[in-house]
Amino acid sequence: DSRIFTSCNAWASLLSSISLDNKVQVEFFYENDPTLNVWKNKLTNIHIHANSDDQPKIYSFSFDKYSDSRLRLTGLEEQNLNGSIKGKKYSFNYNGNNIGQFGSKSTDRFGYYNGSSGVSNIPNSIIMPPSGTIFSGGRDRDINDNWITAGILNEIVYPTGGKTKFYYEANKDVE
């Protein structure tokens, strides 16, 4: 009996703190969320201690999820030690289209989601040099302007009420 068994174990480490010359300490706090698609821990708070006598600055993160349970950041706010909001809140808004499933092969030539179907990354047709043979039967790897901005950040709203809007355009290739 010559069976081959292969196993792969992977462990990820989460950053817990950063110290800068013993004057500044940054601590990272996470929450386990078993509903997440791949990464099961999400960053919930960062505490920044400027020096040992000062109260830390606390920043809290809020998220929602894409249809496949991947996180997207929707808010960042500064809090007091008791958890009340100090009024400094940043909001993040995204294009409403859902993104492709994690690990999807539905990508264009540049690696951006294009909504095509198929399980291969081989394009629809390729001319094989030197014979000039044409291969077909692959998948659409063309840029799809309707999908390249799916789920992408399109606006940041600042605590002052001001905002920054982002506009994207597709990569271009030379035929």
Side-chain angles (χ1 to χ4, degrees), residues 71-134:
L71 292 177
R72 64 178 164 199
L73 180 67
T74 57
L76 166 67
E77 52 196 14
E78 189 174 349
Q79 294 183 334
N80 293 313
L81 279 175
N82 65 6
S84 64
I85 299 169
K86 280 188 167 180
K88 293 182 180 179
K89 181 176 181 177
Y90 296 80
S91 297
F92 304 92
N93 299 309
Y94 300 82
N95 178 308
N97 290 341
N98 270 321
I99 58 176
Q101 293 295 313
F102 183 78
S104 171
K105 301 269 190 242
S106 301
T107 57
D108 63 23
R109 291 184 293 276
F110 297 100
Y112 295 100
Y113 184 69
N114 71 356
S116 66
S117 61
V119 294
S120 168
N121 273 334
I122 298 173
N124 262 346
S125 60
I126 303 172
I127 299 175
M128 307 292 286
S131 67
T133 304
I134 297 176

Side-chain angles (χ1 to χ4, degrees), residues 15-136:
L15 184 63
S16 60
S17 66
I18 298 173
S19 291
L20 304 170
D21 297 328
N22 293 325
K23 295 179 182 173
V24 177
Q25 172 97 16
V26 181
E27 295 178 287
F28 301 91
F29 297 90
Y30 303 89
E31 177 182 291
N32 184 274
D33 186 346
T35 67
L36 296 178
N37 188 2
V38 177
W39 193 255
K40 302 296 182 196
N41 292 293
K42 63 183 175 185
L43 181 65
T44 56
N45 293 288
I46 294 177
H47 295 194
I48 302 173
H49 306 267
N51 63 49
S52 60
D53 298 333
D54 289 344
Q55 288 191 354
K57 287 190 174 197
I58 300 172
Y59 295 94
S60 176
F61 300 92
S62 53
F63 303 93
D64 68 4
K65 296 176 185 171
Y66 292 102
S67 62
D68 69 348
S69 295
R70 282 183 280 175
L71 292 177
R72 64 178 164 199
L73 180 67
T74 57
L76 166 67
E77 52 196 14
E78 189 174 349
Q79 294 183 334
N80 293 313
L81 279 175
N82 65 6
S84 64
I85 299 169
K86 280 188 167 180
K88 293 182 180 179
K89 181 176 181 177
Y90 296 80
S91 297
F92 304 92
N93 299 309
Y94 300 82
N95 178 308
N97 290 341
N98 270 321
I99 58 176
Q101 293 295 313
F102 183 78
S104 171
K105 301 269 190 242
S106 301
T107 57
D108 63 23
R109 291 184 293 276
F110 297 100
Y112 295 100
Y113 184 69
N114 71 356
S116 66
S117 61
V119 294
S120 168
N121 273 334
I122 298 173
N124 262 346
S125 60
I126 303 172
I127 299 175
M128 307 292 286
S131 67
T133 304
I134 297 176
F135 166 82
S136 62

